[in-house]
Amino acid sequence: MKKILHISNDFCLTKVHSMLYQELDRMGVGQTVFNPVRDAAHVGRNQFEGQHTSIIYAHVVRPWHKYAYHLKRRHVFNEMLKRINPSEYSLTHATTLLTDGGLAYQLYKQFGIPYIVAVRNTDVNEFLKFMPHTWMDARKILLHAKKIVFINKGLRDDLVRHPVIRGIASEIEDRFMLMPNGINDYYLDHISHGPRTGHGIVYVGRFSTRKNVVRLAKAVLKLREQQQFSDCTLTLVGGGRAYTDEMERLIANHPEVFTFVEPIAKPSKMCEVFSNARLFAMPSLHETFGLVYIEALTQNLPVLYTKGQGVDGLLPPSAGIAVNPYSIDDIANGLETLLTNEKAGNQEVDFEQFRWSRIAEKYKVIYEH
């Protein structure tokens, strides 16, 4: 088998892809990672030393490309050809349907290189929802892909419901496969089944609109109106640039309820935070996967998540509850259900499915096939 070409526009923005590629490198898979970047400061991020891996950061994306999909694709494709030799590769793995998949499709058309493509949140909830000029490209990419990978069941369901994709669903469904992301081995090597007590809730993530943290905070305040949950608290780990004014006011006005903690990088420190809580909650409006749900579950925290998003469909019923993220009442009811269910936890979760080495093995089989 020749090398694998990974086209990953957000390689520098998330460690998810780097973790997979490192495991593939350990298995001896020859691979090149092509990462087109918009910000020169991102060059070098998530880089790792591998015996069988080369990483190409190409500062070729411009701010206006966001509004010119086809121009961006042509420009980045030409820049990619200046940096790679297509004859070296037997397969392309595109990490998104449109941004990366469009480049993989061009390689297939021009050089006959087969490809597999992943469908992510931005594909379904941004491109296919708000950018009709990309719809025909999405059809072409899907029709010619050897495999179509979904990180969660909800993305698969949303994709086939799209009016432009619905008509080709029967032609491509046999190539669908569900492949969750993995988490840091530290959590998998330090799984706790110990009981959790109290009414402490923890959230980890940015304070962005998509993460829906304001509605979660209001749901906690609503829950505290009940006498049995009057001591309910919410620890918020994250914030960042998306630290909203409204969330900041809620924290300031209710210091007895909300505790803000700066982002935590070390898994061991994060486990300490989890150990002091009863459950984890993140009712995101849209979520491709959400590593932190599984990280919290390893510490026996049941999780509150969104219907049809993220880990919905990947976990046993005892591991958590799915809610309507737009309803404060439904979020509050979900929190109450988890706080009163003493059997909720991680006892029935198969954590090995979230180990990167196991996921990499599955991808290696696909590549060889």
Side-chain angles (χ1 to χ4, degrees), residues 84-225:
I84 68 165
N85 179 0
S87 66
E88 295 180 359
Y89 304 100
S90 59
L91 180 74
T92 303
H93 182 171
T95 61
T96 63
L97 174 60
L98 271 305
T99 301
D100 300 329
L103 300 176
Y105 174 69
Q106 286 299 113
L107 282 174
Y108 166 75
K109 278 180 57 180
Q110 199 161 326
F111 301 99
I113 304 173
Y115 63 92
I116 67 173
V117 64
V119 178
R120 284 185 153 76
N121 172 60
T122 52
D123 295 313
V124 173
N125 292 301
E126 292 183 22
F127 282 101
L128 292 180
K129 187 172 287 187
F130 302 116
M131 303 181 188
H133 57 287
T134 67
W135 291 356
M136 289 302 104
D137 283 65
R139 281 172 61 101
K140 293 176 185 177
I141 295 165
L142 291 167
L143 283 168
H144 292 91
K146 293 297 183 182
K147 289 288 183 182
I148 302 164
V149 180
F150 297 92
I151 312 302
N152 68 56
K153 180 178 178 292
L155 286 175
R156 181 193 66 191
D157 296 342
D158 288 343
L159 180 75
V160 298
R161 280 197 294 261
H162 191 279
V164 172
I165 308 303
R166 191 185 306 133
I168 63 169
S170 61
E171 300 179 56
I172 61 177
E173 284 179 333
D174 63 333
R175 284 170 269 159
F176 287 179
M177 59 180 298
L178 189 64
M179 187 79 80
N181 284 330
I183 64 173
N184 189 298
D185 278 354
Y186 180 91
Y187 295 100
L188 299 173
D189 296 335
H190 294 81
I191 293 173
S192 170
H193 298 296
R196 295 287 176 252
T197 59
H199 294 148
I201 301 165
V202 63
Y203 163 90
V204 181
R206 300 185 69 80
F207 291 1
S208 63
T209 301
R210 180 173 68 85
K211 292 294 187 178
N212 206 29
V213 65
V214 171
R215 284 194 183 93
L216 171 62
K218 291 180 177 179
V220 171
L221 291 176
K222 184 176 182 65
L223 192 61
R224 281 175 60 94
E225 295 174 0

